[in-house]
Amino acid sequence: MQKSRFSFSVALLGALPCAAAFGFNITGDSSCRISYVGDRTVITCPQSTTLNVTGSGTAEVLLVGGGGGAGGIDGADYGGGGGGAGGVVHVNGLELSSGPYKVVIGKGGAGGGNSNVAGANGEDTSAFDLIAYGGGGGARHAN
């Protein structure tokens, strides 16, 4: 069976349907992007969707949580802390069977801007009963 890898990221955009033939079939909405890397079929979905699996097979899954927003600045001279990176979950050999799978893509947290407030936490990304937690928001500058 051909290896397959599914990655979910808020950074990649595309307009091709999520569909490929590699022992089983996965379909999603038109926001997902399909590409081929060596012997792998990579499906990248930039927004929340439902993937429908027909048949069964093994997949490599990469989930990335939304990054935390940077902390706000205090005037023009002092910046807040940077937001934390979103968590990463990587599973090689995840068994998938027929059925719908809800995919939730976590957005990055809003920055504090010029308001001297902390950055917002990033949102969690989840799929296949796996969760990649969002990053923490950056601290505001405090005198």
Side-chain angles (χ1 to χ4, degrees), residues 13-138:
L13 300 174
L16 297 172
C18 291
F22 37 74
F24 63 114
N25 192 50
I26 297 183
T27 58
D29 67 29
S30 62
S31 71
C32 298
R33 179 175 181 251
I34 190 168
S35 58
Y36 303 95
V37 179
D39 65 347
R40 296 178 177 197
T41 301
V42 180
I43 299 174
T44 306
C45 298
Q47 62 190 31
S48 298
T49 188
T50 297
L51 297 177
N52 295 298
V53 176
T54 304
S56 62
T58 302
E60 180 178 358
V61 177
L62 176 66
L63 303 177
V64 180
I73 64 172
D74 181 16
D77 297 326
Y78 304 104
V88 174
V89 173
H90 176 245
V91 177
N92 194 3
L94 182 68
E95 292 290 331
L96 296 178
S97 57
S98 291
Y101 293 88
K102 184 176 180 181
V103 176
V104 177
I105 302 298
K107 297 176 183 170
N114 290 328
S115 58
N116 198 25
V117 298
N121 292 338
E123 297 177 352
D124 299 342
T125 294
S126 62
F128 312 111
D129 294 325
L130 303 169
I131 300 173
Y133 294 104

